[in-house]
């Protein structure tokens, strides 16, 4: 929706946080129109400039808006679960100003028209900026390569078969090899499908509950295979939602060997473990499954030492009809847009990361990885900002969340870190009343 | 009045029950055995009560056993066999639960092919729910009837060495039995190929054997399980012939157990697959028919107890139960 270009807005009395430059100081920031025009420690300490609208941050943190590199937006095709609009509302409520959708929509995003559809529809809504990946193989079938060069030109940021692994080794080899010639990024869901017919982590718990387990080896084996293929093809490879200790280790070694490999994880995998399944709680049915406590701790360690590059929400909306089922029949996935910041801040509250390190995982790192002009405070850059209180406690109540689907694995959890205001291209898009 | 020892609304599993609660259920069932063996089997303990047998999976034995247990105590019984072949299985589950609940039954006996489904259903109703078997999870009344059979023959459960043999992975009977027997102080051994007896079971406080002769050594009780080919996807065993060779119970393997070891099987038996007919029909050793008799007694005790608990439980639990997903 077309809204008048904002004039000059002065954000005063803010704790400026910029992971890219290491800035952490009280100061102010000035936007004009859609861009940041000035920011500095101590700025506006003696009063705001004449003629500018003033936003008093009251000592809260002012940081680059979050960049979420893995979401499922369900539009087109499953608008009863989520839409660009509902996801956009949830995203900005979570401080996210850019997000990237997977191509597993209906129809699949595997041609240029579909990429353009996403760009056009999302632009009309004007909340968080929406980007998309495109299918790595036609129809996500894992057999023939999609037209990834053309799709890149249409705007697709990277190539993936979404929640399906590219399982065939020859297809993966060709994909990495071809993508490398265009310097394109391939994103893998690292899970060997023939080992992944279960519904939760294979463990004592799955045995006791009588549920088929997915062994950790499903992830380990595919990552190990892929590292060989990356070495062979010199491709650019990104492993999504790493969930096991060995998985982190494989990426760590590959990086040390100089392979062009990156990875992310989702808040589920560093904040929760398989005990969350409890008595068949389907909100805790995720793909990959929640793992053991030892794995969770290894994920935290991987985030602390930089092996894991990014935290992404892995937002996966599922409606009641697909979650209120016996565990074995329920769909996989949990929503995560609105809780991304607060749960990531757990890494600072009860984990080893500093505030800047934690923010880096959800701002500059994903933006740089995907080549987006976002994720840092920079004069002349789009004014995509979040103002938040890192201490403020709140309780996650799934039913009150803005996503159309309410399947939050964090339902009922207490978290700290509240978004106060979200700004996209200079305009306040959250809270709704401020628009 | 709520029972002084067993103060639960439902019987969803053995997991979480304490030894005195299990002992109490067995004592009550013991009393029912005498009733069933008398000339006048009928009582009016459950007169005016309604029991619904809701089975999402084919069953003749268990359903009949529950039906008889309810009727002998004067309850009204309705049997519902629901097909699970339709696509929206789970929707049927919750819809059915809500619909039946509106008819004010006292006890719902539920069997379902998916683990955890009975618990999901129990959350949506305000009557008592008995788990008649859910997927590969639990089958509590089977474990209770097995325990009753053993206790009547041996006078105790603690200190006995019990071997459970065969397809443990897919067996809800095995899980309930493992929990009950270890809770009551028995030594439990699991015997089978690793594909059907994953090592993770060792975390449940049992020993795992892949050699049946070793595993059966000096056992007091030998429990055989049915090979559940219908739950198997893929290659768990190369062939039935090979399975019988290594894990079928025959005279030779049985000779390693104690000379008076009892042979049990939850039925239905696959003769020549997991058990030799010669052994299954051995009068001295096989208590398979006795298990069926104990089944009725145990279910009488459970239905009666839950029906009596229900009045006070209903007041404590508003419609909709605990809610949530």
């Amino acid at each position: 929706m077309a809204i008048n270009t904002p004039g000059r807005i002065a954000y005063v009395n803010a704790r400026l946080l910029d992971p890219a430059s290491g800035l952490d100081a009280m100061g102010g920031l000035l936007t004009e129109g859609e861009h940041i025009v000035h920011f500095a420690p101590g700025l506006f300490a003696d009063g705001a400039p004449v003629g500018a609208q003033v936003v008093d941050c009251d000592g809260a943190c002012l940081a680059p808006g979050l960049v979420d590199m893995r979401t499922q937006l369900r539009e087109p095709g499953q608008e009863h679960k989520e839409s660009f609009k509902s996801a956009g509302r949830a995203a900005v409520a979570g401080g996210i100003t850019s997000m990237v959708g997977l191509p597993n929509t209906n129809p699949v995003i595997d041609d240029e028209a579909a990429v353009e559809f996403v760009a056009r529809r999302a632009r009309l809504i004007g909340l968080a900026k929406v980007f998309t990946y495109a299918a790595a193989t036609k129809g996500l079938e894992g057999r023939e390569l999609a037209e990834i060069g053309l799709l890149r030109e249409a705007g697709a940021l990277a190539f993936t078969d979404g929640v399906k692994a590219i399982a065939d080794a020859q297809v993966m080899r060709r994909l990495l090899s071809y993508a490398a010639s265009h310097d394109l990024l391939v994103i893998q869901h690292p899970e060997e499908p023939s080992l992944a017919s279960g519904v939760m982590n294979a463990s004592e718990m799955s045995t006791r509950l009588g549920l088929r387990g997915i062994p950790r080896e499903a992830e380990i084996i595919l990552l190990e295979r892929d590292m060989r293929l990356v070495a062979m093809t010199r491709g650019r490879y990104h492993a999504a939602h790493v969930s096991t200790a060995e998985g982190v280790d494989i990426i760590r070694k590959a990086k040390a060997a100089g392979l062009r490999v990156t990875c992310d994880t989702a808040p589920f995998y560093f904040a929760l473990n398989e005990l969350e399944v409890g008595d068949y709680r389907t909100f805790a049915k995720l793909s990959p499954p929640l793992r053991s406590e030892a794995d969770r701790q290894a994920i935290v360690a991987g985030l602390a030492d930089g092996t894991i590059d990014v935290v992404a929400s892995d937002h996966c909306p599922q409606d009641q009809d697909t979650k209120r089922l016996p565990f074995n029949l329920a769909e996989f996935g949990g929503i995560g847009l609105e809780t991304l910041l607060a749960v990531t801040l757990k890494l600072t509250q009860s984990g080893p990361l500093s505030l800047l390190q934690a923010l880096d995982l959800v701002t500059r790192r994903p933006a740089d990885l995907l080549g987006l002009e976002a994720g840092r405070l920079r004069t002349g850059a789009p004014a995509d900002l979040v103002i938040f209180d890192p201490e403020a406690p709140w309780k996650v109540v799934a039913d009150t969340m803005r996503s159309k689907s309410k399947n939050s694995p964090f339902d009922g959890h207490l978290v700290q870190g509240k978004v106060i205001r979200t700004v996209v291209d200079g305009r306040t898009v959250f809270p709704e009343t401020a628009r | 009045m709520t029972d002084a020892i067993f103060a639960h609304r439902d019987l969803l599993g053995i997991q979480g029950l304490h030894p005195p609660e299990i002992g109490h259920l067995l004592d009550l069932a013991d009393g029912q055995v005498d009733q069933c063996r008398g000339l006048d089997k009928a009582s009016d303990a459950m007169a005016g009560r309604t029991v619904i047998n809701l089975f999402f999976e084919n069953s003749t034995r268990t359903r009949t056993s529950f039906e008889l247990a309810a009727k002998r105590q004067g309850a009204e019984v309705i049997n519902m066999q629901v097909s699970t072949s339709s696509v929206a299985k789970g929707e049927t589950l919750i819809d059915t639960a809500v619909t039946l609940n509106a008819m004010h039954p006292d006890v719902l006996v539920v069997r379902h092919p998916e683990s955890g489904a009975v618990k999901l259903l129990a959350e949506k109703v305000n009557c008592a729910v008995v788990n008649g078997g859910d997927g590969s999870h639990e089958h509590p009344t089977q474990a209770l009837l097995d325990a009753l059979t053993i206790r009547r023959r041996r006078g105790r459960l603690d200190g006995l060495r019990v071997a459970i043999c065969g397809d443990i992975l897919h067996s809800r009977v095995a899980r309930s039995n493992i929990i009950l027997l270890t809770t009551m102080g028995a030594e439990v051994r699991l015997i089978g190929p690793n594909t059907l007896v994953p090592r993770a079971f060792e975390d449940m406080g049992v020993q795992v054997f892949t050699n049946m002769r070793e595993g059966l050594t000096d056992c007091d009780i030998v429990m055989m399980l049915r090979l559940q080919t219908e739950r198997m996807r893929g290659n768990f065993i190369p062939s039935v012939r090979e399975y019988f060779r290594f894990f079928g119970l025959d005279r030779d393997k049985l000779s390693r157990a104690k000379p008076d070891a009892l042979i049990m099987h939850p039925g239905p038996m696959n003769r020549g697959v997991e058990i030799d007919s010669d052994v299954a029909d051995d009068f001295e050793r096989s208590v398979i028919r006795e298990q069926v008799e104990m089944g009725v007694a145990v279910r009488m005790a459970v239905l009666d107890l839950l029906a009596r608990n229900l009045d006070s439980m209903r007041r404590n639990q508003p419609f909709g139960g605990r809610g949530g997903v």
Side-chain angles (χ1 to χ4, degrees):
Chain A
M1 130 191 18
I3 292 178
N4 296 337
T5 308
R8 276 150 51 96
I9 303 174
Y11 296 87
V12 305
N13 199 14
R15 179 179 171 191
L16 297 175
L17 292 171
D18 181 35
S21 61
L23 172 68
D24 179 355
M26 291 305 295
L29 182 144
L30 183 69
T31 67
E32 184 165 353
E34 298 183 347
H35 298 96
I36 298 172
V37 292
H38 190 36
F39 67 96
L43 187 66
F44 308 141
D46 308 323
V50 181
Q53 186 191 331
V54 174
V55 175
D56 187 348
C57 298
D58 202 17
C61 298
L62 173 61
L66 273 53
V67 177
D68 186 354
M69 73 172 285
R70 189 176 177 89
T71 67
Q72 295 180 60
L73 304 177
R74 300 285 184 238
E75 185 175 342
Q78 288 194 297
E79 287 86 350
H80 61 289
K81 291 185 176 179
E82 194 76 288
S83 66
F84 289 136
K85 193 161 193 174
S86 60
R89 285 206 191 102
V92 295
I96 295 163
T97 54
S98 294
M99 58 183 170
V100 193
L102 296 184
N104 60 338
T105 47
N106 184 15
V108 168
I109 298 175
D110 64 356
D111 64 27
E112 296 150 276
V115 174
E116 280 155 15
F117 167 83
V118 172
R120 195 173 61 248
R121 282 279 299 147
R123 207 164 35 236
L124 284 174
I125 289 162
L127 292 165
K129 295 171 182 172
V130 177
F131 300 89
T132 189
Y133 300 123
T137 67
K138 283 179 188 146
L140 305 177
E141 285 173 358
R143 289 196 291 268
E144 290 173 62
L145 297 195
E147 296 170 323
I148 63 177
L150 295 174
L151 286 161
R152 171 65 227 184
E153 284 187 344
L157 293 185
F159 300 88
T160 176
D161 276 359
V163 298
K164 282 170 73 180
I166 297 155
D168 186 295
Q170 180 70 299
V171 170
M172 189 52 150
R173 175 190 168 195
R174 295 257 156 79
L175 175 65
L176 283 167
S177 185
Y178 185 80
S181 54
H182 291 270
D183 198 31
L184 302 178
L185 179 66
V186 173
I187 301 179
Q188 172 75 304
H189 167 73
E191 188 175 55
E192 166 56 41
S194 62
L195 281 175
S197 63
V199 294
M200 71 169 289
N201 187 38
S203 64
E204 185 269 336
M205 188 166 178
S206 67
T207 306
R208 193 160 41 76
L209 291 175
L211 294 173
R212 276 173 295 125
I214 301 174
R216 305 158 71 259
E217 286 72 12
E219 175 172 302
I220 298 165
I221 286 172
L222 207 62
L223 280 176
E224 282 186 335
R225 181 205 76 174
D226 283 351
M227 291 310 108
R228 303 277 171 187
L229 295 174
V230 171
M232 180 182 178
T233 58
R234 297 166 192 272
R236 264 179 79 206
Y237 176 96
H238 179 88
H241 45 217
V242 173
S243 69
T244 63
E246 287 88 341
V248 177
D249 235 23
I250 291 164
I251 302 289
R252 191 177 282 127
K253 287 190 184 118
K255 285 183 167 183
L259 301 185
R260 296 203 295 168
V261 170
T262 51
C263 71
D264 70 73
T265 194
F268 315 133
Y269 305 108
F270 63 75
L272 305 175
N273 63 31
E274 62 176 346
L275 296 179
E276 220 47 46
V277 171
D279 261 341
Y280 304 98
R281 231 178 120 242
T282 59
F283 279 10
K285 181 175 176 179
L286 305 175
S287 172
L290 292 171
R291 303 286 185 186
S292 69
E293 175 59 15
D295 287 309
R296 188 194 70 79
Q297 289 177 14
I299 298 295
V300 173
L303 288 162
D305 74 8
T307 302
I308 301 176
D309 301 87
V310 170
V311 169
S313 74
D314 214 358
H315 182 73
C316 179
Q318 299 289 4
D319 60 354
Q320 283 217 350
D321 287 350
T322 53
K323 278 290 191 185
R324 276 178 56 179
L325 291 173
F327 198 88
N328 190 37
L329 304 175
E331 289 282 359
F332 289 95
I335 57 171
L337 293 172
E338 269 175 86
T339 48
L340 177 61
L341 178 63
V343 181
T344 300
L345 291 177
K346 270 184 194 286
L347 293 165
T348 70
Q349 295 146 359
S350 55
L353 271 64
S354 70
L355 187 54
L356 280 178
Q357 284 172 321
L359 276 179
D360 200 25
L361 293 164
V362 287
T363 55
R364 179 187 63 113
R365 299 252 210 110
D368 286 1
L369 187 64
L370 299 171
L372 294 176
E373 198 191 4
R376 57 183 81 210
L377 296 183
R378 193 172 58 78
T379 303
D384 295 347
L385 307 167
V386 58
I387 300 170
F388 67 98
D389 176 346
E391 311 286 334
W394 56 287
K395 185 176 177 179
V396 181
V397 180
D399 284 342
T400 65
M401 301 194 99
R402 289 164 180 79
S403 285
K404 270 191 195 170
S405 299
K406 311 297 181 192
N407 54 310
S408 172
F410 297 109
D411 188 21
H413 285 237
L414 294 170
V415 292
Q416 275 179 279
K418 212 169 191 170
V419 174
I420 297 168
R421 180 186 287 259
T422 305
V423 177
V424 173
D425 283 340
R427 286 182 296 108
T428 294
V429 289
F430 176 84
E432 287 88 347
T433 49
R435 255 188 275 166
Chain B
M1 267 300 287
T2 308
D3 188 272
I5 302 173
F6 188 92
H8 304 283
R9 189 195 75 169
D10 307 316
L11 179 66
L12 299 180
I14 300 295
Q15 178 83 48
L17 294 186
H18 300 296
E21 295 175 317
I22 294 169
H24 182 54
L25 285 172
L26 296 178
D27 292 343
L28 292 173
D30 238 340
Q32 300 289 2
V33 176
D34 300 331
Q35 167 92 20
C36 290
R37 287 183 177 172
L39 271 181
D40 186 10
K41 298 175 179 57
S43 81
D44 58 0
M46 293 184 72
R49 302 291 198 162
T50 306
V51 175
I52 300 183
N53 284 327
L54 179 59
F55 278 58
F56 293 89
E57 209 178 53
N58 288 329
S59 161
T60 313
R61 301 157 148 265
T62 306
R63 186 185 51 71
T64 312
S65 182
F66 271 110
E67 185 176 355
L68 203 55
K71 282 183 171 165
R72 279 196 181 155
Q73 303 184 89
E76 301 254 23
V77 184
I78 295 166
N79 292 316
M80 289 190 62
Q81 183 83 46
V82 184
S83 161
T84 52
S85 57
S86 62
V87 185
K89 290 175 194 171
E91 204 173 4
T92 314
L93 176 70
I94 290 178
D95 288 350
T96 314
V98 171
T99 307
L100 291 180
N101 192 61
M103 299 177 190
H104 299 291
D106 297 283
V107 187
L108 270 178
V109 178
V110 187
R111 166 169 288 194
H112 198 282
E114 299 296 349
S115 302
V118 178
K119 180 178 180 294
L120 179 63
L121 183 143
E123 287 168 357
K124 310 293 171 192
V125 300
N126 62 358
C127 59
V129 177
V130 179
N131 183 354
D134 64 323
S136 303
H137 180 221
E138 282 226 45
H139 190 355
T141 56
Q142 178 72 41
L144 288 166
L145 75 87
D146 287 341
L148 183 63
T149 309
I150 297 169
R151 204 179 74 167
R152 286 174 66 95
R153 284 287 189 134
R154 288 287 177 267
R156 65 193 167 100
L157 294 169
D158 62 297
L160 295 179
R161 180 179 282 179
V162 183
I164 306 178
C165 313
D167 184 0
I168 315 277
L169 179 66
H170 299 99
S171 174
R172 52 198 174 211
V173 175
R175 280 175 185 71
S176 289
N177 265 317
I178 291 167
I179 300 164
L180 189 149
L181 291 166
T182 51
T183 304
M184 300 305 277
E187 176 196 335
V188 177
R189 296 175 157 198
L190 306 181
I191 304 173
N194 282 333
T195 46
L196 295 177
V197 191
R199 293 276 163 186
F201 275 102
E202 287 177 342
D203 298 335
M204 294 173 80
V206 300
Q207 275 184 288
V208 173
F209 291 83
T210 50
N211 180 310
M212 195 164 184
R213 285 183 177 79
E214 273 174 34
L216 286 182
T217 302
D218 291 331
C219 280
D220 297 284
I221 311 288
V222 182
M223 278 188 190
M224 300 306 299
L225 295 174
R226 191 169 63 85
L227 199 60
Q228 299 197 47
T229 40
E230 74 277 13
R231 284 190 207 281
M232 292 187 185
R233 294 186 201 168
N235 299 307
F236 286 92
I237 52 164
S239 74
V240 164
R241 195 171 73 104
E242 177 161 332
Y243 182 77
F244 185 71
R245 167 85 174 73
F246 293 101
F247 299 103
L249 186 66
D250 54 21
R251 287 271 167 217
D252 177 48
K253 297 191 192 89
L254 184 60
S255 68
R256 306 296 292 264
K258 283 190 180 162
D260 62 346
L262 301 178
I263 299 161
M264 306 178 76
H265 194 298
M269 283 183 280
N270 299 312
R271 291 166 185 267
V273 177
E274 71 258 352
I275 191 163
D276 201 354
S277 280
D278 177 39
V279 177
D281 299 332
D282 182 343
F283 260 92
E284 306 280 308
R285 318 279 296 271
S286 167
V287 291
I288 295 169
R289 267 163 293 186
E290 211 167 302
Q291 287 174 272
V292 178
E293 183 192 358
M294 294 306 127
V296 178
V298 157
R299 285 161 186 139
M300 286 173 78
V302 167
L303 292 175
D304 176 48
L305 177 60
L306 293 183
R308 280 189 282 117
N309 274 357
L310 190 59
D311 294 326
S312 46
M313 292 286 167
R314 261 193 183 134
R315 273 195 295 278
N316 297 339
Q317 215 146 45
F319 176 75
R322 291 161 288 259
V325 172

